[in-house]
Every structure is written in structure tokens, then in C-alpha cells.
Amino acid sequence: MASSALLTRTGMMKLMVNGFQGLRAYASVAVGSDLISASPDVSLQKARSWDEGVSSKFATTTLKDIFKDKKVVIFGLPGAFTGVCSAQHVPSYKNNIDKFKAKGIDSVICVAVNDPYVMNGWAEKLQAKEAIEFYGDFDGSFHKKLDLSIDLSAALLGPRSHRWSAYVVDGNIKVLNVEKAPSEFEVSGGDVILDSIRRLGCPLLLLITIEEHLRVFMALADVYIVRSFSFYGMMHLHSSS
Amino acid sequence: MAPIAVGEVIPDGTLAYFDDQDQLQSVSVHSLAAGKKVILFAVPGAFTPTCSMKHVPGFIEKAEELKSKGIDEILCISVNDPFVMKAWAKTYPENKHVKFVADGTATYTRALGLELDLSDKGFGIRSRRFALLIEDLKVKVANVESGGEFTVSSAEDILKAL
């Protein structure tokens, strides 16, 4: 992955600017970026009914209000009412909401390139409005700024977003997971990001888990033992000749 | 594009919908409407009140009557994707005849000259509220709302014209 990214000019630029974690083919933000300053004039629209829209005079919410001084878990998906989004992605956050709250997360946010009324209808259908805040990025401007937009016209969805998740503290991206393809659901779920948040909390586990530590150790031990035996064997052969 | 008017032939275009087997279908307007009497009514957005509580139910209720007067198809079109249209259609379990079709990119709505910029309400480019009576691809009745009202585009108004 690293070598193929180096071959592209943008890959090289990102490597230089953002270090290893900048090698993401399709997001201009990366871990360490400040979301608020990356998109200063962008706002989102809270999922609402039409009447709420009218009474709020169709007010929008700035990224500053959403992210400043808060610990936020945010995930984006291609479309309300679509398969993976409804059946897997949202539930993986709804079912983990208590664990997120226990980690001190202020809000869990779901965003998609849909209008806020559709987001509201969908949130109500999924019965997820208490756990998750739903926002509409109706013109895709939020996702464009993050370079997370993708044209899904082939699926009759038009310009939408990738499937992704992030952990953002006071506007600063701490964790960013983007699926290789929007139809996949490997890295952007609630369980994965909860694990990443846990690892951030424990420096020893920051890079790999204890289980992975053990595996690496065992693999190295294997190599050591085999090498020792073959070295011993060679020495034995040598000395007996 | 100038708004479509009575006497004109409707443009061809592609609309999307989920059929009874939950398969995504793309259909050409001309193939759907050629040689038939079709009502095409449009709403600015799925899941919004006037659309959901007045405009659509009116057509659902009057569907039998419209069919008995020779209407072959009743299509509800909106600038939404087909997933949203499918989910919205499901909120009307009593519906038997109205087909919910998606003009996700607003291409067909623009071809009709009936688009409306509702960005300040969080919508983007949508459709005006309208109801067209089309006979063998020719527009016989064109009831287009000028703003956010609901005065001329209801099922009753189309029934009066039949």
C-alpha cells in the first residue's frame, strides 16, 4: 500500500506533509487535522421535521458548534434508507451508545448527503434519535471539504460520501477510518472506533494490542529457535567432519 | 428550460423505482406513458408535511376513482433517490395504485422546466409541486403551483378536468 501510494504525486505530497498516516488516497484530512479550520464556512443541518425547520427558520449548525470543546464520534455513510447504512452501520453505533458515554464522548453523530427531513424520517424509522444526532449535508459541502465525497451515480444515488468514521476531540481528528469501498463495512463501525478510543487511552496498547504483542513475540521466538537449531546443527556438522 | 405547457409532448427521461420484488428498476418515461393516460404529480420532498399529509394522500384516496375514469398510471415523482422513495412509499400501506418514482439527479424535472431551488431550506434543486395529465405523451392539463401553496395541484383538481 505504501509503495503504490508513493508512486503517485499526491501520495508523495501527503507522505511529506502528513507523515505515514497521511497516506490515505481519498481524504484530504488525516489524523491530527483540525476539522474546524479545514472547513470554516461549512455547516450542517440537524435532522428535523418540516415544522421544526420552519420554526427554526431553517437554521444550520456550524462545525464549531458541533466540535469545539467536545469529544465527538462522527460517522458518515452513502445514504439514508440504504442497505448497509440501515442494517449495519447505524446499529453498530446505537448499540454501543452506553460504552461511548462511559468513555466521556459528548455526542455520537451520523451524517449523510441527504436533506435534514429525510434524515429525520430515517432516524425515526431506526428509532435512533435518542442515541445518535443525525445531520444532513444536503449539498455535500462538508464531505467535499474533507475530500470524502464519491460519485455514486451508478447506484442511482448521485454525489454522496464514502463510508467513514472519526473520533474528534475539540475539533482535532484523533482517529479516522475510511472504507475502501462504500459498500464495505470493515473499519467504520462503532466497535472498531470504540476499540481505537480505548487504545488511545493506553499508550502501551497504542500501536498493537497485547494479543498482537504475543503473536509477534511467538513468531520471533520461532525464528530464534529454528535459527539456533540450524546454527547448532551446522556447527555440529562442521565439527564432526 | 421553459416550463412544460398544455399541448406539448413530454420529454423522455429515466426514472428509478423499486419494484414489488424489491429490485431497482430504471424506466424510460416514454415507454411508461406512450399510448396511455398518465397522471404525473410532483412533490418538493419526501418526508415533508404538505407532501406527506395532503398531496400524496389525496391521490392515494382518489386513485380508484381516477382509474375508473380511464387513468392508466398515477406517478408520484420527487427529486430524491429511489431508496428514499421506497421508504417513503412504505409509510402509505394503504396505497394500491400510486407509483413512487425517483428523479434523483433532477434531470427529468429540469427537462420539464419545473425545477425549483430550495437550497435555503436544506433541499438543493427540487421540483415544483405540480400535477400533469398526460395523454399519449401530450400534456392535457398542467397544474403547477407558483410557490409553496397547495391550491391547484391536488387530485380533486385533476378529477375536475377529466
Side-chain angles (χ1 to χ4, degrees):
Chain A
M1 188 189 90
S3 49
S4 58
L6 275 173
L7 286 172
T8 67
R9 231 178 81 220
T10 47
M12 193 55 158
M13 294 293 270
K14 280 176 184 160
L15 180 66
M16 291 195 300
V17 171
N18 288 323
F20 184 70
Q21 281 162 331
L23 280 178
R24 198 167 291 286
Y26 29 68
S28 67
V29 289
V31 172
S33 303
D34 187 318
L35 258 186
I36 302 174
S37 55
S39 19
D41 46 0
V42 169
S43 41
L44 292 171
Q45 309 189 321
K46 198 152 209 290
R48 65 189 92 168
S49 70
W50 180 261
D51 293 333
E52 283 162 0
V54 172
S55 57
S56 71
K57 298 205 210 316
F58 303 106
T60 56
T61 319
T62 62
L63 295 189
K64 193 159 154 239
D65 288 330
I66 295 174
F67 293 108
K68 192 119 187 69
D69 298 326
K70 296 215 185 110
K71 287 188 180 168
V72 175
V73 166
I74 177 169
F75 63 101
L77 39 84
F81 293 111
T82 60
V84 175
C85 307
S86 299
Q88 292 173 266
H89 205 173
V90 174
S92 78
Y93 285 87
K94 185 184 163 198
N95 299 336
N96 277 316
I97 192 67
D98 294 324
K99 297 198 185 121
F100 282 118
K101 295 283 168 186
K103 284 260 150 228
I105 304 299
D106 295 297
S107 11
V108 174
I109 293 177
C110 172
V111 62
V113 182
N114 280 106
D115 68 61
Y117 316 102
V118 163
M119 288 306 273
N120 194 46
W122 188 46
E124 281 177 358
K125 172 109 195 292
L126 295 174
Q127 294 174 309
K129 270 180 101 172
E130 275 112 48
I132 302 172
E133 291 172 39
F134 286 78
Y135 283 84
D137 177 24
F138 84 95
D139 57 2
S141 54
F142 175 62
H143 287 95
K144 272 189 212 126
K145 276 278 161 79
L146 302 184
D147 207 13
L148 283 171
S149 5
I150 180 171
D151 185 0
L152 293 177
S153 296
L156 297 182
L157 287 171
R160 292 294 171 116
S161 82
H162 277 276
R163 191 181 305 285
W164 60 279
S165 66
Y167 173 48
V168 184
V169 177
D170 193 23
N172 221 274
I173 302 179
K174 299 289 179 196
V175 177
L176 178 62
N177 300 321
V178 186
E179 300 288 352
K180 288 200 241 46
S183 50
E184 286 178 12
F185 183 57
E186 310 275 334
V187 304
S188 60
D191 302 307
V192 176
I193 204 161
L194 197 50
D195 198 46
S196 308
I197 297 170
R198 276 195 197 117
R199 290 192 201 189
L200 279 178
C202 178
L204 265 180
L205 299 179
L206 184 61
L207 294 171
I208 54 180
T209 61
I210 288 177
E211 194 197 335
E212 286 161 357
H213 266 112
L214 266 172
R215 250 187 254 144
V216 169
F217 176 72
M218 295 300 282
L220 285 172
D222 278 343
V223 171
Y224 177 74
I225 289 167
V226 167
R227 280 198 177 177
S228 311
F229 269 120
S230 59
F231 180 71
Y232 177 75
M234 270 169 34
M235 293 305 290
H236 189 75
L237 273 169
H238 188 79
S239 61
S240 60
S241 59
Chain B
M1 202 142 297
I4 193 122
V6 174
E8 288 178 5
V9 173
I10 53 165
D12 198 6
T14 320
L15 299 171
Y17 68 97
F18 279 94
D19 65 16
D20 300 321
Q21 273 82 49
D22 239 14
Q23 299 298 310
L24 186 57
Q25 303 284 354
S26 278
V27 66
S28 108
V29 178
H30 275 197
S31 68
L32 195 53
K36 291 195 189 150
K37 282 191 184 170
V38 171
I39 291 176
L40 180 68
F41 74 98
V43 300
F47 295 101
T48 60
T50 313
C51 307
S52 301
M53 294 197 275
K54 296 198 206 155
H55 202 182
V56 173
F59 277 97
I60 293 178
E61 274 167 41
K62 300 281 178 201
E64 295 283 337
E65 215 186 314
L66 289 163
K67 288 233 143 181
S68 69
K69 295 227 160 118
I71 301 295
D72 299 296
E73 299 275 6
I74 305 170
L75 304 174
C76 172
I77 183 177
S78 177
V79 179
N80 281 107
D81 66 60
F83 298 92
V84 167
M85 290 307 272
K86 175 174 109 170
W88 191 40
K90 283 204 186 134
T91 65
Y92 300 104
E94 70 279 16
N95 175 37
K96 288 200 204 66
H97 300 294
V98 176
K99 286 201 172 87
F100 287 75
V101 292
D103 181 20
T105 50
T107 312
Y108 193 65
T109 306
R110 281 187 217 260
L112 287 172
L114 292 171
E115 77 273 19
L116 187 60
D117 188 348
L118 290 173
S119 299
D120 56 350
K121 305 221 171 21
F123 275 131
I125 298 292
R126 292 296 170 110
S127 167
R128 291 189 184 281
R129 192 182 303 286
F130 67 82
L132 301 177
L133 174 61
I134 305 162
E135 274 176 37
D136 195 18
L137 305 180
K138 263 221 193 115
V139 178
K140 290 284 173 190
V141 176
N143 297 333
V144 183
E145 303 286 355
S146 38
E149 303 95 49
F150 180 50
T151 51
V152 304
S153 58
S154 71
E156 278 96 7
D157 295 304
I158 288 277
L159 264 173
K160 276 189 225 147
L162 283 175

